[in-house]
Amino acid sequence: MKTNPWWRGAVIYQVYPRSLMDSNADGIGDIPGIISKLDYIASLGVDAIWVSPFFRSPMKDFGYDISDYRDIDPIFGNLDDFDRLIEQAHAKGIKIIIDQVLSHTSDQHAWFEESRQCRNNPKADWYVWADPKDDGTPPNNWLSIFGGCAWEWEPRREQYYLHNFLKSQPDLNFHNAEVRAEILDEVEFWLKRGVDGLRLDAITFCFHDQKLRDNPAKPKEERKGRGFTEDNPYAFQYHWYNNDRPENLQFLESLRKVMDRYPGSVTLGEISSEDSLATMAEYTRGNNRLHTTYSFELLVENFSTRYIRETVETLEASLAEGWPCWSIGNHDVRRVMSRWGGEAKPDALAKLFNAMMLSLRGSVCSYQGEELGLTEAELQKHELQDPYGITFWPRFKGRDGCRTPMPWQENAHNAGFSEADSTWLPIPREHRPRAVDRQDDNPDSILNAYRTFVLWRRDQPALRLGDIEFQDAPEGQMVFTRRHPDQKLLVAMNFTDQAATLALDSLPTGPAQEGHGFTGARIEGQQLILPAYSAGYFSLEL
């Protein structure tokens, strides 16, 4: 296991900095707040922290609209704070991965402020500009993910600019060699400061079709959300021309050359395309593009063991030498216990979802609060901050419900998150009983089950690095083997509230392994018995 790069099989803990811990009583989490919780994060046994954007920004999209790639927004701290975060995290054996938003900037970035002035300034071609059609309408039918047309009129240039997201997030023109070179310099600024990796936001959106061809219509039966509501017109098109263009691969190879100058650094790409699994395989092929990728394929609304198996097997069939990263929750989708947990939402199911995520082949991104079993917060319209939710209310309530502050102390002011009178998003009353202090000393808590499993997983080469092969099982149960030269495990899971009895292709030679936090799974004769909401890990002969 020591010969493999650290990120293979790693558990990466995603921190949404606005909501982890507030150190200065302004109601917003910050970098010193992250530093103050490093002991807690270390106690989870994770390998790295992915810190969502903290760069200078007008915060129209809460940091994903960057106005200065090389500075920290004052609400989060300053560069000295960030350097301390790296130093203290490294001292505890924790790597730091930062979000990099390369496809677009804020409209308040100095580059765009210059570019929009006229058609002949030094930055004139740094963004995607296009003339209107003869009737004055936008150059094509491309749509914004956040609703409506993806083009915005700029009267000073008498042209439209492209924005795949908010109109305050203009897209950079990656067909311009100066832009590509500058973006690589921005990336290297952080590598020189000691970051261990980059999570690449919206990385499939860097290039656009230079012919500006219309996207074709998508039949209704093929419209899948993957983070978008069914009534969002964005789902009405095949996004062939504004996303996942072939030129992107050459840029990724240039980016990889920069990363290779910093041994041990990693790229984690967020993949969103018409066939995200195929794109994940393509973007990690050849050992000269991205190190690993993840997509929204397991962030679906409804849970199905059959779907999980089909998704993993489809990716495995095309992945070749690539390496996947899986997540079942993040800052863009409803919390997993509300999506998949049903009405009852038992603690045992939260433990099982985490164990499943940590047992698939690949690395893992685990979103803050999943170790507590947090549910989606139900907010009123006047409490919303997310422009996505405000636009699509009430059919879609946006992403604020998964971004509420962490509950640290059940009975403390603002649940121990902040000393401010109020917080940037309210702390749900139903989260308080799941606060860290409530779970910390309870050996049966979701939090301690998470810790136990992650620490046990560290010493299981089959789970961290092994191949995966599924066996047939009824809906509600999942059975697969993980095979490594030093270990072979049979993994069996029951996600239902009834005990299950399974006949397997080959039975284990001994009892279930101890130490991973699940008990009760056993062999009886030629059958495997799985209690409700249980998992069993059995050794197999190599």
Side-chain angles (χ1 to χ4, degrees), residues 444-471:
D444 295 324
S445 68
I446 301 169
L447 172 59
N448 280 316
Y450 184 98
R451 287 169 169 157
T452 297
F453 194 95
V454 172
L455 291 172
W456 175 77
R457 179 182 177 273
R458 280 184 172 182
D459 297 323
Q460 312 304 316
L463 290 185
R464 285 182 66 92
L465 299 167
D467 296 332
I468 190 169
E469 182 178 357
F470 285 85
Q471 296 187 23

PDB file of all heavy atoms in Angstrom, residues 444-471:
ATOM      1  N   ASP A 444     -22.554   4.235  20.312  1.00  0.00           N
ATOM      2  CA  ASP A 444     -23.463   3.758  19.270  1.00  0.00           C
ATOM      3  C   ASP A 444     -23.889   4.852  18.300  1.00  0.00           C
ATOM      4  O   ASP A 444     -24.767   4.636  17.459  1.00  0.00           O
ATOM      5  CB  ASP A 444     -24.714   3.153  19.915  1.00  0.00           C
ATOM      6  CG  ASP A 444     -24.402   1.905  20.735  1.00  0.00           C
ATOM      7  OD1 ASP A 444     -23.513   1.140  20.310  1.00  0.00           O
ATOM      8  OD2 ASP A 444     -25.044   1.728  21.783  1.00  0.00           O
ATOM      9  N   SER A 445     -23.280   6.024  18.392  1.00  0.00           N
ATOM     10  CA  SER A 445     -23.700   7.144  17.546  1.00  0.00           C
ATOM     11  C   SER A 445     -23.251   6.960  16.101  1.00  0.00           C
ATOM     12  O   SER A 445     -22.335   6.186  15.794  1.00  0.00           O
ATOM     13  CB  SER A 445     -23.140   8.459  18.089  1.00  0.00           C
ATOM     14  OG  SER A 445     -21.724   8.505  17.944  1.00  0.00           O
ATOM     15  N   ILE A 446     -23.886   7.700  15.210  1.00  0.00           N
ATOM     16  CA  ILE A 446     -23.472   7.717  13.803  1.00  0.00           C
ATOM     17  C   ILE A 446     -22.038   8.211  13.687  1.00  0.00           C
ATOM     18  O   ILE A 446     -21.233   7.670  12.922  1.00  0.00           O
ATOM     19  CB  ILE A 446     -24.427   8.613  12.980  1.00  0.00           C
ATOM     20  CG1 ILE A 446     -25.859   8.102  13.077  1.00  0.00           C
ATOM     21  CG2 ILE A 446     -23.983   8.675  11.522  1.00  0.00           C
ATOM     22  CD1 ILE A 446     -26.887   9.068  12.507  1.00  0.00           C
ATOM     23  N   LEU A 447     -21.702   9.252  14.451  1.00  0.00           N
ATOM     24  CA  LEU A 447     -20.355   9.819  14.420  1.00  0.00           C
ATOM     25  C   LEU A 447     -19.310   8.771  14.784  1.00  0.00           C
ATOM     26  O   LEU A 447     -18.297   8.615  14.076  1.00  0.00           O
ATOM     27  CB  LEU A 447     -20.272  11.003  15.387  1.00  0.00           C
ATOM     28  CG  LEU A 447     -18.885  11.605  15.629  1.00  0.00           C
ATOM     29  CD1 LEU A 447     -18.267  12.094  14.331  1.00  0.00           C
ATOM     30  CD2 LEU A 447     -18.978  12.739  16.661  1.00  0.00           C
ATOM     31  N   ASN A 448     -19.512   8.034  15.860  1.00  0.00           N
ATOM     32  CA  ASN A 448     -18.506   7.059  16.262  1.00  0.00           C
ATOM     33  C   ASN A 448     -18.487   5.835  15.346  1.00  0.00           C
ATOM     34  O   ASN A 448     -17.441   5.208  15.178  1.00  0.00           O
ATOM     35  CB  ASN A 448     -18.704   6.670  17.722  1.00  0.00           C
ATOM     36  CG  ASN A 448     -18.119   7.731  18.647  1.00  0.00           C
ATOM     37  OD1 ASN A 448     -17.016   8.228  18.429  1.00  0.00           O
ATOM     38  ND2 ASN A 448     -18.872   8.118  19.669  1.00  0.00           N
ATOM     39  N   ALA A 449     -19.627   5.510  14.741  1.00  0.00           N
ATOM     40  CA  ALA A 449     -19.620   4.450  13.732  1.00  0.00           C
ATOM     41  C   ALA A 449     -18.778   4.866  12.533  1.00  0.00           C
ATOM     42  O   ALA A 449     -18.021   4.062  11.969  1.00  0.00           O
ATOM     43  CB  ALA A 449     -21.048   4.138  13.296  1.00  0.00           C
ATOM     44  N   TYR A 450     -18.876   6.144  12.146  1.00  0.00           N
ATOM     45  CA  TYR A 450     -18.075   6.678  11.041  1.00  0.00           C
ATOM     46  C   TYR A 450     -16.589   6.587  11.377  1.00  0.00           C
ATOM     47  O   TYR A 450     -15.778   6.096  10.582  1.00  0.00           O
ATOM     48  CB  TYR A 450     -18.490   8.116  10.781  1.00  0.00           C
ATOM     49  CG  TYR A 450     -17.823   8.791   9.611  1.00  0.00           C
ATOM     50  CD1 TYR A 450     -18.453   8.867   8.382  1.00  0.00           C
ATOM     51  CD2 TYR A 450     -16.566   9.384   9.738  1.00  0.00           C
ATOM     52  CE1 TYR A 450     -17.854   9.509   7.305  1.00  0.00           C
ATOM     53  CE2 TYR A 450     -15.957  10.021   8.679  1.00  0.00           C
ATOM     54  CZ  TYR A 450     -16.611  10.078   7.459  1.00  0.00           C
ATOM     55  OH  TYR A 450     -15.999  10.709   6.408  1.00  0.00           O
ATOM     56  N   ARG A 451     -16.230   7.076  12.560  1.00  0.00           N
ATOM     57  CA  ARG A 451     -14.820   7.027  12.976  1.00  0.00           C
ATOM     58  C   ARG A 451     -14.297   5.598  12.993  1.00  0.00           C
ATOM     59  O   ARG A 451     -13.197   5.308  12.490  1.00  0.00           O
ATOM     60  CB  ARG A 451     -14.678   7.638  14.361  1.00  0.00           C
ATOM     61  CG  ARG A 451     -14.820   9.135  14.431  1.00  0.00           C
ATOM     62  CD  ARG A 451     -14.936   9.579  15.880  1.00  0.00           C
ATOM     63  NE  ARG A 451     -14.823  11.023  16.036  1.00  0.00           N
ATOM     64  CZ  ARG A 451     -15.304  11.698  17.066  1.00  0.00           C
ATOM     65  NH1 ARG A 451     -15.948  11.046  18.045  1.00  0.00           N
ATOM     66  NH2 ARG A 451     -15.158  13.006  17.146  1.00  0.00           N
ATOM     67  N   THR A 452     -15.076   4.705  13.586  1.00  0.00           N
ATOM     68  CA  THR A 452     -14.648   3.308  13.701  1.00  0.00           C
ATOM     69  C   THR A 452     -14.410   2.709  12.332  1.00  0.00           C
ATOM     70  O   THR A 452     -13.397   2.024  12.106  1.00  0.00           O
ATOM     71  CB  THR A 452     -15.712   2.496  14.460  1.00  0.00           C
ATOM     72  OG1 THR A 452     -15.824   3.004  15.792  1.00  0.00           O
ATOM     73  CG2 THR A 452     -15.346   1.025  14.525  1.00  0.00           C
ATOM     74  N   PHE A 453     -15.332   2.969  11.413  1.00  0.00           N
ATOM     75  CA  PHE A 453     -15.206   2.365  10.091  1.00  0.00           C
ATOM     76  C   PHE A 453     -14.016   2.934   9.327  1.00  0.00           C
ATOM     77  O   PHE A 453     -13.245   2.188   8.705  1.00  0.00           O
ATOM     78  CB  PHE A 453     -16.490   2.562   9.279  1.00  0.00           C
ATOM     79  CG  PHE A 453     -16.551   1.675   8.061  1.00  0.00           C
ATOM     80  CD1 PHE A 453     -17.197   0.461   8.113  1.00  0.00           C
ATOM     81  CD2 PHE A 453     -15.929   2.039   6.885  1.00  0.00           C
ATOM     82  CE1 PHE A 453     -17.230  -0.383   7.010  1.00  0.00           C
ATOM     83  CE2 PHE A 453     -15.944   1.219   5.772  1.00  0.00           C
ATOM     84  CZ  PHE A 453     -16.607   0.004   5.839  1.00  0.00           C
ATOM     85  N   VAL A 454     -13.850   4.258   9.346  1.00  0.00           N
ATOM     86  CA  VAL A 454     -12.742   4.866   8.600  1.00  0.00           C
ATOM     87  C   VAL A 454     -11.399   4.362   9.123  1.00  0.00           C
ATOM     88  O   VAL A 454     -10.487   4.032   8.346  1.00  0.00           O
ATOM     89  CB  VAL A 454     -12.827   6.402   8.661  1.00  0.00           C
ATOM     90  CG1 VAL A 454     -11.566   7.031   8.063  1.00  0.00           C
ATOM     91  CG2 VAL A 454     -14.051   6.903   7.913  1.00  0.00           C
ATOM     92  N   LEU A 455     -11.254   4.279  10.429  1.00  0.00           N
ATOM     93  CA  LEU A 455      -9.988   3.821  11.003  1.00  0.00           C
ATOM     94  C   LEU A 455      -9.755   2.339  10.686  1.00  0.00           C
ATOM     95  O   LEU A 455      -8.622   1.931  10.404  1.00  0.00           O
ATOM     96  CB  LEU A 455      -9.991   4.063  12.509  1.00  0.00           C
ATOM     97  CG  LEU A 455      -9.944   5.540  12.919  1.00  0.00           C
ATOM     98  CD1 LEU A 455     -10.157   5.686  14.424  1.00  0.00           C
ATOM     99  CD2 LEU A 455      -8.624   6.189  12.508  1.00  0.00           C
ATOM    100  N   TRP A 456     -10.823   1.529  10.732  1.00  0.00           N
ATOM    101  CA  TRP A 456     -10.686   0.115  10.367  1.00  0.00           C
ATOM    102  C   TRP A 456     -10.329  -0.029   8.894  1.00  0.00           C
ATOM    103  O   TRP A 456      -9.479  -0.837   8.521  1.00  0.00           O
ATOM    104  CB  TRP A 456     -12.001  -0.616  10.682  1.00  0.00           C
ATOM    105  CG  TRP A 456     -12.038  -2.044  10.242  1.00  0.00           C
ATOM    106  CD1 TRP A 456     -11.436  -3.110  10.848  1.00  0.00           C
ATOM    107  CD2 TRP A 456     -12.730  -2.570   9.104  1.00  0.00           C
ATOM    108  NE1 TRP A 456     -11.708  -4.268  10.144  1.00  0.00           N
ATOM    109  CE2 TRP A 456     -12.503  -3.962   9.080  1.00  0.00           C
ATOM    110  CE3 TRP A 456     -13.517  -1.998   8.105  1.00  0.00           C
ATOM    111  CZ2 TRP A 456     -13.039  -4.795   8.094  1.00  0.00           C
ATOM    112  CZ3 TRP A 456     -14.049  -2.811   7.110  1.00  0.00           C
ATOM    113  CH2 TRP A 456     -13.806  -4.191   7.121  1.00  0.00           C
ATOM    114  N   ARG A 457     -10.945   0.771   8.047  1.00  0.00           N
ATOM    115  CA  ARG A 457     -10.718   0.710   6.595  1.00  0.00           C
ATOM    116  C   ARG A 457      -9.258   0.976   6.240  1.00  0.00           C
ATOM    117  O   ARG A 457      -8.747   0.437   5.256  1.00  0.00           O
ATOM    118  CB  ARG A 457     -11.633   1.725   5.912  1.00  0.00           C
ATOM    119  CG  ARG A 457     -11.505   1.816   4.393  1.00  0.00           C
ATOM    120  CD  ARG A 457     -12.446   2.897   3.884  1.00  0.00           C
ATOM    121  NE  ARG A 457     -12.360   3.109   2.452  1.00  0.00           N
ATOM    122  CZ  ARG A 457     -11.497   3.935   1.861  1.00  0.00           C
ATOM    123  NH1 ARG A 457     -10.627   4.627   2.607  1.00  0.00           N
ATOM    124  NH2 ARG A 457     -11.494   4.091   0.549  1.00  0.00           N
ATOM    125  N   ARG A 458      -8.586   1.819   7.022  1.00  0.00           N
ATOM    126  CA  ARG A 458      -7.184   2.143   6.737  1.00  0.00           C
ATOM    127  C   ARG A 458      -6.314   0.899   6.610  1.00  0.00           C
ATOM    128  O   ARG A 458      -5.341   0.886   5.851  1.00  0.00           O
ATOM    129  CB  ARG A 458      -6.617   3.022   7.853  1.00  0.00           C
ATOM    130  CG  ARG A 458      -6.960   4.473   7.778  1.00  0.00           C
ATOM    131  CD  ARG A 458      -6.235   5.220   8.894  1.00  0.00           C
ATOM    132  NE  ARG A 458      -6.382   6.656   8.778  1.00  0.00           N
ATOM    133  CZ  ARG A 458      -5.819   7.529   9.607  1.00  0.00           C
ATOM    134  NH1 ARG A 458      -5.062   7.085  10.607  1.00  0.00           N
ATOM    135  NH2 ARG A 458      -5.988   8.824   9.434  1.00  0.00           N
ATOM    136  N   ASP A 459      -6.649  -0.131   7.384  1.00  0.00           N
ATOM    137  CA  ASP A 459      -5.825  -1.341   7.433  1.00  0.00           C
ATOM    138  C   ASP A 459      -6.376  -2.459   6.561  1.00  0.00           C
ATOM    139  O   ASP A 459      -5.968  -3.616   6.700  1.00  0.00           O
ATOM    140  CB  ASP A 459      -5.704  -1.837   8.883  1.00  0.00           C
ATOM    141  CG  ASP A 459      -4.996  -0.828   9.770  1.00  0.00           C
ATOM    142  OD1 ASP A 459      -4.055  -0.180   9.286  1.00  0.00           O
ATOM    143  OD2 ASP A 459      -5.403  -0.680  10.943  1.00  0.00           O
ATOM    144  N   GLN A 460      -7.310  -2.120   5.651  1.00  0.00           N
ATOM    145  CA  GLN A 460      -7.887  -3.122   4.753  1.00  0.00           C
ATOM    146  C   GLN A 460      -7.463  -2.800   3.316  1.00  0.00           C
ATOM    147  O   GLN A 460      -8.107  -2.009   2.628  1.00  0.00           O
ATOM    148  CB  GLN A 460      -9.423  -3.132   4.864  1.00  0.00           C
ATOM    149  CG  GLN A 460      -9.958  -3.164   6.284  1.00  0.00           C
ATOM    150  CD  GLN A 460      -9.441  -4.327   7.092  1.00  0.00           C
ATOM    151  OE1 GLN A 460      -9.387  -5.463   6.619  1.00  0.00           O
ATOM    152  NE2 GLN A 460      -9.047  -4.059   8.336  1.00  0.00           N
ATOM    153  N   PRO A 461      -6.373  -3.387   2.839  1.00  0.00           N
ATOM    154  CA  PRO A 461      -5.910  -3.055   1.486  1.00  0.00           C
ATOM    155  C   PRO A 461      -6.945  -3.338   0.413  1.00  0.00           C
ATOM    156  O   PRO A 461      -6.989  -2.639  -0.606  1.00  0.00           O
ATOM    157  CB  PRO A 461      -4.655  -3.921   1.317  1.00  0.00           C
ATOM    158  CG  PRO A 461      -4.765  -4.987   2.357  1.00  0.00           C
ATOM    159  CD  PRO A 461      -5.502  -4.377   3.491  1.00  0.00           C
ATOM    160  N   ALA A 462      -7.795  -4.345   0.617  1.00  0.00           N
ATOM    161  CA  ALA A 462      -8.819  -4.653  -0.381  1.00  0.00           C
ATOM    162  C   ALA A 462      -9.812  -3.499  -0.523  1.00  0.00           C
ATOM    163  O   ALA A 462     -10.259  -3.189  -1.634  1.00  0.00           O
ATOM    164  CB  ALA A 462      -9.552  -5.941  -0.007  1.00  0.00           C
ATOM    165  N   LEU A 463     -10.167  -2.842   0.599  1.00  0.00           N
ATOM    166  CA  LEU A 463     -11.122  -1.748   0.539  1.00  0.00           C
ATOM    167  C   LEU A 463     -10.488  -0.465   0.002  1.00  0.00           C
ATOM    168  O   LEU A 463     -11.124   0.301  -0.721  1.00  0.00           O
ATOM    169  CB  LEU A 463     -11.727  -1.483   1.919  1.00  0.00           C
ATOM    170  CG  LEU A 463     -12.687  -2.541   2.464  1.00  0.00           C
ATOM    171  CD1 LEU A 463     -13.288  -2.077   3.793  1.00  0.00           C
ATOM    172  CD2 LEU A 463     -13.795  -2.868   1.478  1.00  0.00           C
ATOM    173  N   ARG A 464      -9.253  -0.229   0.340  1.00  0.00           N
ATOM    174  CA  ARG A 464      -8.607   1.002  -0.128  1.00  0.00           C
ATOM    175  C   ARG A 464      -8.186   0.931  -1.586  1.00  0.00           C
ATOM    176  O   ARG A 464      -8.305   1.916  -2.320  1.00  0.00           O
ATOM    177  CB  ARG A 464      -7.383   1.332   0.738  1.00  0.00           C
ATOM    178  CG  ARG A 464      -7.717   1.885   2.109  1.00  0.00           C
ATOM    179  CD  ARG A 464      -6.453   2.238   2.882  1.00  0.00           C
ATOM    180  NE  ARG A 464      -5.711   3.343   2.279  1.00  0.00           N
ATOM    181  CZ  ARG A 464      -5.870   4.627   2.589  1.00  0.00           C
ATOM    182  NH1 ARG A 464      -6.763   4.974   3.488  1.00  0.00           N
ATOM    183  NH2 ARG A 464      -5.154   5.557   2.019  1.00  0.00           N
ATOM    184  N   LEU A 465      -7.727  -0.245  -2.006  1.00  0.00           N
ATOM    185  CA  LEU A 465      -7.047  -0.308  -3.302  1.00  0.00           C
ATOM    186  C   LEU A 465      -7.501  -1.450  -4.206  1.00  0.00           C
ATOM    187  O   LEU A 465      -7.084  -1.515  -5.357  1.00  0.00           O
ATOM    188  CB  LEU A 465      -5.532  -0.434  -3.084  1.00  0.00           C
ATOM    189  CG  LEU A 465      -4.875   0.716  -2.327  1.00  0.00           C
ATOM    190  CD1 LEU A 465      -3.472   0.339  -1.890  1.00  0.00           C
ATOM    191  CD2 LEU A 465      -4.847   1.971  -3.188  1.00  0.00           C
ATOM    192  N   GLY A 466      -8.330  -2.362  -3.702  1.00  0.00           N
ATOM    193  CA  GLY A 466      -8.643  -3.561  -4.451  1.00  0.00           C
ATOM    194  C   GLY A 466      -9.647  -3.367  -5.575  1.00  0.00           C
ATOM    195  O   GLY A 466     -10.342  -2.351  -5.662  1.00  0.00           O
ATOM    196  N   ASP A 467      -9.730  -4.369  -6.444  1.00  0.00           N
ATOM    197  CA  ASP A 467     -10.743  -4.408  -7.491  1.00  0.00           C
ATOM    198  C   ASP A 467     -12.106  -4.705  -6.869  1.00  0.00           C
ATOM    199  O   ASP A 467     -12.207  -5.110  -5.703  1.00  0.00           O
ATOM    200  CB  ASP A 467     -10.402  -5.488  -8.517  1.00  0.00           C
ATOM    201  CG  ASP A 467      -9.105  -5.188  -9.250  1.00  0.00           C
ATOM    202  OD1 ASP A 467      -8.757  -3.997  -9.373  1.00  0.00           O
ATOM    203  OD2 ASP A 467      -8.449  -6.156  -9.693  1.00  0.00           O
ATOM    204  N   ILE A 468     -13.163  -4.520  -7.669  1.00  0.00           N
ATOM    205  CA  ILE A 468     -14.513  -4.773  -7.182  1.00  0.00           C
ATOM    206  C   ILE A 468     -15.265  -5.639  -8.180  1.00  0.00           C
ATOM    207  O   ILE A 468     -15.104  -5.477  -9.397  1.00  0.00           O
ATOM    208  CB  ILE A 468     -15.268  -3.447  -6.929  1.00  0.00           C
ATOM    209  CG1 ILE A 468     -16.591  -3.697  -6.190  1.00  0.00           C
ATOM    210  CG2 ILE A 468     -15.514  -2.681  -8.227  1.00  0.00           C
ATOM    211  CD1 ILE A 468     -17.254  -2.427  -5.663  1.00  0.00           C
ATOM    212  N   GLU A 469     -16.042  -6.578  -7.662  1.00  0.00           N
ATOM    213  CA  GLU A 469     -16.884  -7.425  -8.510  1.00  0.00           C
ATOM    214  C   GLU A 469     -18.179  -7.712  -7.758  1.00  0.00           C
ATOM    215  O   GLU A 469     -18.167  -8.211  -6.632  1.00  0.00           O
ATOM    216  CB  GLU A 469     -16.175  -8.738  -8.845  1.00  0.00           C
ATOM    217  CG  GLU A 469     -16.989  -9.638  -9.754  1.00  0.00           C
ATOM    218  CD  GLU A 469     -16.258 -10.923 -10.122  1.00  0.00           C
ATOM    219  OE1 GLU A 469     -15.085 -11.085  -9.698  1.00  0.00           O
ATOM    220  OE2 GLU A 469     -16.859 -11.767 -10.814  1.00  0.00           O
ATOM    221  N   PHE A 470     -19.304  -7.386  -8.388  1.00  0.00           N
ATOM    222  CA  PHE A 470     -20.606  -7.555  -7.751  1.00  0.00           C
ATOM    223  C   PHE A 470     -21.146  -8.957  -7.976  1.00  0.00           C
ATOM    224  O   PHE A 470     -20.873  -9.601  -8.997  1.00  0.00           O
ATOM    225  CB  PHE A 470     -21.602  -6.539  -8.309  1.00  0.00           C
ATOM    226  CG  PHE A 470     -21.392  -5.141  -7.799  1.00  0.00           C
ATOM    227  CD1 PHE A 470     -20.473  -4.297  -8.415  1.00  0.00           C
ATOM    228  CD2 PHE A 470     -22.099  -4.666  -6.712  1.00  0.00           C
ATOM    229  CE1 PHE A 470     -20.270  -2.999  -7.955  1.00  0.00           C
ATOM    230  CE2 PHE A 470     -21.907  -3.382  -6.238  1.00  0.00           C
ATOM    231  CZ  PHE A 470     -20.994  -2.552  -6.860  1.00  0.00           C
ATOM    232  N   GLN A 471     -21.940  -9.428  -7.014  1.00  0.00           N
ATOM    233  CA  GLN A 471     -22.706 -10.654  -7.146  1.00  0.00           C
ATOM    234  C   GLN A 471     -24.190 -10.298  -7.184  1.00  0.00           C
ATOM    235  O   GLN A 471     -24.601  -9.241  -6.698  1.00  0.00           O
ATOM    236  CB  GLN A 471     -22.424 -11.608  -5.988  1.00  0.00           C
ATOM    237  CG  GLN A 471     -20.989 -12.113  -5.921  1.00  0.00           C
ATOM    238  CD  GLN A 471     -20.802 -13.181  -4.865  1.00  0.00           C
ATOM    239  OE1 GLN A 471     -21.752 -13.854  -4.469  1.00  0.00           O
ATOM    240  NE2 GLN A 471     -19.570 -13.345  -4.403  1.00  0.00           N
TER     241      GLN A 471
END
